[in-house]
Amino acid sequence: MGFDIKLNQISVKFGKYQALKDISLHLEENKIYGLIGRNGSGKSTLLSLLASFTQPTAGSIKIANRDSFENAAIMSEVSFVYETDYSAETEKVKGLIETVERYRPNFDRQYALDLVKLFNLPLDNYVSKLSKGMQSALNVTLGLASRSKITIFDEAYNGMDAPTREKFYKEVLADYERFPRTIILSTHLVSEMDYLFEEVVILQNGEVIIKEPIDLLLEKGASFLTE
């Protein structure tokens, strides 16, 4: 059975505010997707639905042809990487890696340690004491090393400098070639990352306005709707 994602007429409302409007979307497995849109377009809301952080107001979400919300078997295979507030975190880097490993069936500890070296992360330092850039590098380390069938990076590069972002981009491609899975990258740094994408989904005002292979989109000379 394929591990694809199907959204059928999804809408999300927060009070009177409608974050997503009647979205139907099919994301095939084992592709790298770029999710693009201005701030407030609904990107993070859409990704939080895929990660079962929130429920839709209307419509249905199926992953691997099964309802995903509160489905432990499905959610163990979905990693959601986003900017995290670690101010209250009491673990050291090594301890947090070990914690994540317990909950991710495909977690590769050796690969995690390789990434720790790549990003110059101090294993024995407390996570709460790391710089913002190092915390971002730790987040993407955990996401990549989890090797989940669906891995979502929501503006995961926040805090990284340009050389570190480039290391991250190269690792996304290299590890995807070794272990194909569905990777979704939400970004506004399109010019840096467009070579990663196989397909692009563009949101505007809570609606999908484009879903196309990146090469076709670039051939058309489409303008990316970013700030």
Side-chain angles (χ1 to χ4, degrees):
M1 179 183 295
F3 222 82
D4 58 347
I5 301 167
K6 293 180 180 178
L7 287 76
N8 183 35
Q9 296 183 308
I10 289 291
S11 293
V12 175
K13 282 187 175 182
F14 300 108
K16 294 183 178 180
Y17 174 68
Q18 187 154 12
L20 296 177
K21 305 170 186 175
D22 197 30
I23 287 179
S24 292
L25 194 62
H26 180 206
L27 303 181
E28 298 173 347
E29 65 176 345
N30 299 339
K31 284 189 175 182
I32 301 179
Y33 291 92
L35 180 62
I36 299 166
R38 294 180 183 274
N39 291 338
S41 63
K43 300 190 305 297
S44 292
T45 301
L46 176 59
L47 297 180
S48 69
L49 288 173
L50 300 183
S52 284
F53 281 27
T54 57
Q55 284 185 283
T57 307
S60 65
I61 302 172
K62 291 188 181 294
I63 297 176
N65 208 34
R66 288 174 284 177
D67 292 329
S68 58
F69 190 75
E70 295 184 342
N71 185 326
I74 295 293
M75 285 300 105
S76 68
E77 291 288 0
V78 179
S79 291
F80 185 26
V81 182
Y82 58 96
E83 188 172 4
T84 306
D85 181 3
Y86 283 119
S87 59
E89 179 59 63
T90 58
E91 285 279 12
K92 295 181 178 180
V93 170
K94 182 180 179 181
L96 190 59
I97 290 172
E98 291 170 350
T99 298
V100 173
E101 182 180 16
R102 288 197 290 269
Y103 295 99
R104 296 297 175 191
N106 301 317
F107 194 92
D108 188 322
R109 180 185 289 192
Q110 185 55 57
Y111 181 46
L113 295 177
D114 291 343
L115 291 172
V116 163
K117 291 180 181 178
L118 177 69
F119 294 125
N120 297 312
L121 293 171
L123 280 173
D124 292 324
N125 281 26
Y126 287 100
V127 174
S128 61
K129 302 301 182 182
L130 298 179
S131 67
K132 185 176 180 181
M134 284 191 171
Q135 289 181 354
S136 295
L138 176 59
N139 283 339
V140 302
T141 292
L142 298 174
L144 286 169
S146 293
R147 289 192 172 137
S148 301
K149 291 182 179 178
I150 297 172
T151 304
I152 301 166
F153 295 99
D154 186 11
E155 305 278 2
Y157 53 78
N158 281 345
M160 292 181 180
D161 58 21
T164 306
R165 292 198 301 271
E166 187 59 33
K167 290 178 182 179
F168 167 55
Y169 303 154
K170 289 180 178 178
E171 278 303 315
V172 168
L173 282 180
D175 204 57
Y176 173 76
E177 290 179 2
R178 291 189 292 261
F179 295 91
R181 65 264 207 198
T182 302
I183 297 176
I184 304 171
L185 294 150
S186 169
T187 185
H188 65 268
L189 296 178
V190 179
S191 61
E192 283 189 4
M193 300 176 67
D194 57 7
Y195 70 96
L196 299 175
F197 308 145
E198 294 177 64
E199 288 197 26
V200 170
V201 176
I202 299 181
L203 293 182
Q204 185 176 28
N205 298 324
E207 298 178 287
V208 174
I209 61 169
I210 292 176
K211 178 184 180 291
E212 285 191 348
I214 184 67
D215 54 348
L216 293 180
L217 193 61
L218 293 177
E219 283 176 12
K220 293 177 180 178
S223 297
F224 290 113
L225 307 178
T226 59
E227 293 185 330

